[in-house]
């Protein structure tokens, strides 16, 4: 009974079902099946979801899942298509954060209307990188980050890159071999010309912040909008970002000097 209660609590804490599945299985199922206790907990979890009246779909209510993603999970259970589910999760995620984060007045003032964010956008610093132990960086960029459709396009391109048969083994190897600290040195250490500048670990600069989420509003799409957003993107033309990254490092140094001259504070305001 205790295991069931703990899983229900986890379900209530998660933002959507994909996070529920991720946190539960990553936390419960061991990387190697060497712990009978953990394996037993995993089996109890599976029993919990399959032995109830409503089954797997019955726990959307605990996760505050949107009607859009609930329907996509239902379709996936009936006719599995991993790519469609991935795209649906990306579409859902970006719509979920649009109103409470992107359009929230506090973040608009402190982040998205700041001078630093303006420079970040016009100089194309808004990118997501996938490092490798070979010292190469791959990734995708986004312009006009506050526009939900642009972030969705970015997410789909990143998914295409991440799960590409040529690149996935490289990214997976990096994740296994590298301790994650939030510092750029996590991947810069693999560069051919290793940098001597070690940026600090994330937690040495920023504390862990507990966010308080307000009740979410349901969001909706027309059929035409959904068809457009769920469309499979073409593979990004440019994914090799090593040279780009080294150039951006130089630009970032210049921007830091400009910020010092114009006395731009740490919040990005003049």
């Amino acid at each position: 009974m205790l295991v069931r209660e703990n899983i229900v609590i986890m379900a209530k804490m998660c933002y959507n079902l994909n996070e529920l599945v991720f946190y539960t299985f990553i936390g419960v199922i061991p990387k190697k099946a060497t712990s009978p206790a953990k394996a037993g907990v995993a089996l109890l979890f599976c029993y919990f979801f399959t032995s109830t009246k409503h089954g797997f779909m019955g726990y959307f209510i605990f996760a505050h899942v949107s009607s859009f993603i609930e329907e996509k999970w239902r379709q996936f259970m009936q006719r599995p298509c991993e790519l469609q589910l991935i795209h649906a999760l990306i579409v859902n995620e970006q719509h979920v954060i649009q109103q409470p984060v992107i359009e929230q007045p506090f973040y608009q003032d402190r982040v998205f209307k700041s001078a630093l964010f303006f420079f970040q956008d016009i100089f194309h610093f808004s990118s997501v990188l996938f490092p490798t132990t070979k010292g190469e960086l791959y990734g995708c960029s986004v312009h006009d980050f506050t526009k939900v459709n642009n972030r969705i396009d970015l997410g789909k391109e990143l998914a295409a890159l991440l799960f590409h048969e040529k690149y996935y083994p490289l990214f997976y190897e990096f994740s296994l071999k590298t301790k994650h600290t939030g510092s750029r040195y996590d991947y810069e250490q693999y560069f051919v010309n290793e940098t001597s500048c070690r940026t600090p670990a994330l937690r040495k600069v920023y504390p862990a912040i507990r966010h308080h989420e307000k009740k979410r509003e349901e969001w909706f799409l027309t059929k035409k909008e959904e068809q457009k957003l769920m469309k499979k993107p073409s593979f990004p033309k440019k994914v090799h970002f090593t040279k780009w990254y080294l150039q951006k490092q130089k630009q970032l140094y210049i921007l830091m000097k400009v910020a010092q001259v114009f006395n731009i504070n740490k919040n990005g305001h003049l």
Side-chain angles (χ1 to χ4, degrees), residues 166-184:
K166 177 182 177 181
Y167 301 110
Y168 177 78
L170 301 176
F171 307 147
Y172 184 64
E173 180 188 34
F174 177 89
S175 68
L176 291 179
K177 292 185 176 181
T178 310
K179 180 181 179 181
H180 178 66
T181 68
S183 167
R184 289 197 297 272

Side-chain angles (χ1 to χ4, degrees), residues 110-212:
R110 301 293 294 274
V111 179
F112 301 117
K113 291 183 179 179
S114 68
L116 286 181
F117 187 84
F118 172 76
F119 284 119
Q120 174 181 309
D121 194 51
I122 63 172
F123 285 101
H124 301 282
F125 278 94
S126 299
S127 301
V128 178
L129 302 177
F130 292 133
T132 73
T133 58
K134 310 298 182 183
E136 301 293 336
L137 300 176
Y138 299 87
C140 302
S141 296
V142 62
H143 184 59
D144 284 340
F145 180 83
T146 55
K147 294 182 178 179
V148 64
N149 286 10
N150 290 5
R151 299 196 308 275
I152 290 172
D153 289 341
L154 172 66
K156 292 192 295 184
E157 289 179 353
L158 288 170
L161 173 60
L162 176 61
F163 296 112
H164 192 282
E165 59 182 6
K166 177 182 177 181
Y167 301 110
Y168 177 78
L170 301 176
F171 307 147
Y172 184 64
E173 180 188 34
F174 177 89
S175 68
L176 291 179
K177 292 185 176 181
T178 310
K179 180 181 179 181
H180 178 66
T181 68
S183 167
R184 289 197 297 272
Y185 188 75
D186 292 352
Y187 50 86
E188 288 179 348
Q189 62 181 305
Y190 297 109
F191 285 177
V192 175
N193 298 316
E194 182 182 336
T195 177
S196 59
C197 180
R198 297 197 178 192
T199 55
L202 181 67
R203 285 292 167 255
K204 290 185 177 180
V205 180
Y206 297 103
I209 298 175
R210 186 179 182 85
H211 295 277
H212 301 280

Side-chain angles (χ1 to χ4, degrees), residues 100-115:
V101 178
I102 306 299
E103 297 176 3
Q104 213 271 356
F106 176 83
Y107 295 117
Q108 279 285 319
D109 180 60
R110 301 293 294 274
V111 179
F112 301 117
K113 291 183 179 179
S114 68

Side-chain angles (χ1 to χ4, degrees), residues 28-167:
V28 172
I29 298 179
K31 293 181 179 178
K32 295 182 179 180
T34 56
S35 171
K38 287 186 177 180
V41 172
L43 289 174
L44 283 173
F45 172 77
C46 293
Y47 168 80
F48 177 69
F49 270 103
T50 57
S51 64
T52 56
K53 179 181 179 181
H54 300 288
F56 180 73
M57 303 299 295
Y59 290 89
F60 283 109
I61 187 173
F62 292 118
H64 303 289
V65 173
S66 68
S67 58
F68 170 84
I69 203 63
E70 180 178 350
E71 177 59 27
K72 294 305 177 184
W73 269 105
R74 199 181 307 277
Q75 292 173 7
F76 178 78
M77 301 295 280
Q78 295 172 352
R79 187 176 297 178
C81 177
E82 292 181 354
L83 183 62
Q84 284 294 301
L85 183 60
I86 289 172
H87 289 171
L89 291 169
I90 292 169
V91 170
N92 180 70
E93 177 187 32
Q94 296 309 318
H95 278 92
V96 165
I97 71 169
Q98 183 66 21
Q99 192 277 329
V101 178
I102 306 299
E103 297 176 3
Q104 213 271 356
F106 176 83
Y107 295 117
Q108 279 285 319
D109 180 60
R110 301 293 294 274
V111 179
F112 301 117
K113 291 183 179 179
S114 68
L116 286 181
F117 187 84
F118 172 76
F119 284 119
Q120 174 181 309
D121 194 51
I122 63 172
F123 285 101
H124 301 282
F125 278 94
S126 299
S127 301
V128 178
L129 302 177
F130 292 133
T132 73
T133 58
K134 310 298 182 183
E136 301 293 336
L137 300 176
Y138 299 87
C140 302
S141 296
V142 62
H143 184 59
D144 284 340
F145 180 83
T146 55
K147 294 182 178 179
V148 64
N149 286 10
N150 290 5
R151 299 196 308 275
I152 290 172
D153 289 341
L154 172 66
K156 292 192 295 184
E157 289 179 353
L158 288 170
L161 173 60
L162 176 61
F163 296 112
H164 192 282
E165 59 182 6
K166 177 182 177 181
Y167 301 110

